[in-house]
Amino acid sequence: MGLIVQKFGGTSVGNVERILNVADRVQSEKQQGNDVVVVVSAMGKTTDQLVNLAKEISSQPSKREMDMLLTTGEQTTIALLAMALAEKGLDAVSFTGWQAGIMTEPVHGNARIKKINPEAINKQLANGKVVIVAGFQGVTEDGQITTLGRGGSDTTAVALAAALKADKCDIYTDVTGVYTTDPRYVKSARKLADISYDEMLELANLGAGVLHPRAVEFAKNYHIRLEVRSSMEKMEGTVIEEEAKMEQNLVVRGVAFEDEITRVTLLGLADSLTNLSTIFTTLAQHHINVDIIIQSKTDSDTTNLSFSIKTADLLETLDVLESNKELLKYEKIEAENQLSKVSIVGSGMISNPGVAARMFEVLASNQIDIKMVSTSEIKVSAVVKEKDMLKAVQSLHDAFELGAAQQ
Ligand code: ASP
Ligand code: MG
């Protein structure tokens, strides 16, 4: 007998029938003699709908009130699931984030969990109850309700698993696991039996939407064994743990991609020690997230600087750069949009030289122009034209033998 945390995402609780299906899943875990804590998301697209409702009223609603609004989504689901379990004769109790003792920093919209007081949950578990907790929400020390950022229910589940010392944390979702790449775009994409925390962290940060990056971070720090699996189909999912078994010694384990990227270039920057820090401090003050940065000296005494941003941030970025032209001392701005980032990820890269070289070779032989490159120990990313994105993904997936056909 152990303690299991189960998390069900929005699609998995999208309607009454699916909530009943979740109740079945909880019941079967309970029947195996386990204590169960269930974390749920808002039903279906509820969170998006609530965001849109707010937009109809205000273009800049207060962040405190946004949190108040969005947390109602999860609150609906916990109550309905508790009722569904009661109908099955199971003793269940629902808790909002604050009732569950989830304490966060005092930030609205994207708060981090600071600590969890598990007493209330432990007391109910000791009474034999299934405890259902609203995902994505917490409370500050002075009683303000906060949210953890979009997709944050995963983080609630993993943080609870850590605080309650659960034996396992199962993330039930609308896909059957973590794939070598997005199976909606690449037919030969294959489900991975397991993957390491570090690889998953890279994939999650690179836009593979299957898990919230902070949930993976938590799991890694607290050694929580995670499994991503389907809430509809009864089959094994993908296990995320310290050391994934190096199946077939694959050096690359996944290909991630993200579109809507823009490269901004500042030409003719005066050569000064503090230039870069001034530019990026100014952008950071406006909450503009910069990804890849490339600096190059020109023949004359100036520097050119390119960096990538999300295209959604382009107008604001140009605004900030133009209105600070005096301070930033550049001659000209250029921006190229309709770009994408394609990345290969795998722990095996650490000990295998030549992986980046192979990637560039594959892209070149497919006539794909590389605009920017960045690397970490276990990933290589290339920025390419958006029209080349899927071709790049498919050819890398083939070249690194990730596909089902290669099995
Ligand atoms: N309902 C929230 C969202 O859509 C949190 C979550 O589902 O993880 O982002
Ligand atoms: Mg999610």
Side-chain angles (χ1 to χ4, degrees):
M1 168 160 160
L3 171 62
I4 316 275
V5 175
Q6 298 182 300
K7 183 259 169 180
F8 294 89
T11 316
S12 306
V13 294
N15 56 37
V16 166
E17 194 193 331
R18 290 194 174 160
I19 289 177
L20 296 176
N21 168 58
V22 167
D24 287 341
R25 286 285 173 131
V26 176
Q27 185 177 38
S28 69
E29 204 68 72
K30 190 77 185 146
Q31 278 167 348
Q32 287 170 38
N34 293 310
D35 281 337
V36 186
V37 172
V38 191
V39 174
V40 285
S41 289
M43 292 171 69
K45 298 262 170 258
T46 303
T47 309
D48 290 332
Q49 286 159 4
L50 292 170
V51 168
N52 289 336
L53 267 182
K55 274 193 203 147
E56 282 182 37
I57 291 188
S58 165
S59 62
Q60 268 189 316
S62 118
K63 289 190 163 179
R64 179 191 185 277
E65 300 310 331
M66 273 315 280
D67 280 354
M68 197 56 98
L69 177 69
L70 296 190
T71 50
T72 63
E74 273 70 13
Q75 193 166 340
T76 304
T77 322
I78 55 171
L80 292 174
L81 181 59
M83 293 172 198
L85 288 170
E87 285 296 315
K88 291 177 147 297
L90 279 181
D91 239 356
V93 59
S94 67
F95 280 161
T96 61
W98 70 264
Q99 289 176 312
I102 299 173
M103 311 301 298
T104 75
E105 57 183 10
V107 171
H108 286 293
N110 201 13
R112 287 174 169 265
I113 296 177
K114 273 172 56 181
K115 69 168 192 239
I116 294 183
N117 300 325
E119 295 79 28
I121 294 181
N122 278 331
K123 198 168 145 201
Q124 297 295 340
L125 290 175
N127 288 334
K129 294 204 182 181
V130 172
V131 179
I132 306 164
V133 180
F136 167 65
Q137 55 179 265
V139 68
T140 67
E141 243 162 54
D142 48 9
Q144 299 298 319
I145 289 178
T146 51
T147 60
L148 311 182
R150 295 304 304 270
S153 295
D154 293 340
T155 301
T156 305
V158 182
L160 278 174
L164 299 166
K165 303 194 169 47
D167 297 288
K168 175 165 193 271
C169 181
D170 287 338
I171 308 280
Y172 286 90
T173 174
D174 53 352
V175 292
T176 52
V178 179
Y179 279 71
T180 50
T181 194
D182 191 331
R184 287 173 299 181
Y185 299 96
V186 177
K187 286 274 168 313
S188 56
R190 182 172 52 84
K191 189 173 79 184
L192 292 161
D194 57 7
I195 187 165
S196 71
Y197 293 127
D198 288 329
E199 289 168 326
M200 191 64 231
L201 203 51
E202 289 281 10
L203 289 174
N205 277 319
L206 289 166
V210 61
L211 273 178
H212 199 227
R214 257 158 51 206
V216 185
E217 225 173 82
F218 241 108
K220 175 177 154 78
N221 292 342
Y222 292 91
H223 306 283
I224 308 290
R225 186 177 189 272
L226 280 184
E227 182 168 346
V228 174
R229 55 197 308 182
S230 162
S231 62
M232 320 289 168
E233 290 169 64
K234 293 219 163 93
M235 56 157 85
E236 285 183 4
T238 301
V239 173
I240 299 143
E241 57 196 343
E242 199 65 54
E243 282 286 328
K245 292 162 211 85
M246 284 296 264
E247 47 170 68
Q248 297 186 315
N249 291 320
L250 282 183
V251 174
V252 174
R253 312 257 299 159
V255 182
F257 52 98
E258 198 184 333
D259 57 5
E260 305 275 318
I261 286 174
T262 292
R263 177 176 68 175
V264 176
T265 304
L266 295 178
L267 296 158
L269 275 169
D271 217 358
S272 100
L273 267 181
T274 53
N275 236 342
L276 285 191
S277 75
T278 315
I279 292 168
F280 292 110
T281 307
T282 309
L283 291 169
Q285 279 162 351
H286 290 82
H287 303 283
I288 294 165
N289 247 322
V290 171
D291 184 17
I292 303 175
I293 300 172
I294 293 173
Q295 181 193 212
S296 56
K297 294 239 177 218
T298 60
D299 288 343
S300 49
D301 270 347
T302 59
T303 297
N304 294 339
L305 174 74
S306 293
F307 54 88
S308 66
I309 52 167
K310 291 208 187 310
T311 301
D313 291 337
L314 177 59
L315 288 181
E316 199 186 348
T317 304
L318 292 178
D319 214 36
V320 170
L321 293 173
E322 274 156 14
S323 56
N324 288 286
K325 189 161 187 209
E326 296 284 277
L327 174 72
L328 305 179
K329 302 192 198 70
Y330 58 87
E331 276 161 23
K332 201 172 140 205
I333 308 179
E334 282 173 0
E336 179 175 8
N337 58 12
Q338 295 190 321
L339 298 177
S340 298
K341 184 167 77 170
V342 177
S343 311
I344 54 174
V345 174
S347 309
M349 283 181 203
I350 298 177
S351 49
N352 283 280
V355 178
R358 176 91 182 106
M359 175 178 188
F360 303 147
E361 193 179 281
V362 170
L363 295 178
S365 67
N366 282 280
Q367 270 75 49
I368 296 170
D369 190 18
I370 301 172
K371 305 272 179 181
M372 303 176 98
V373 171
S374 83
T375 65
S376 79
E377 267 190 323
I378 64 164
K379 75 134 203 238
V380 186
S381 298
V383 173
V384 302
K385 287 201 179 112
E386 206 160 279
K387 69 168 179 51
D388 290 332
M389 179 179 78
L390 290 178
K391 186 161 76 165
V393 173
Q394 181 75 61
S395 53
L396 291 168
H397 196 263
D398 290 345
F400 287 103
E401 300 185 3
L402 293 176
Q406 272 95 10
Q407 286 298 286

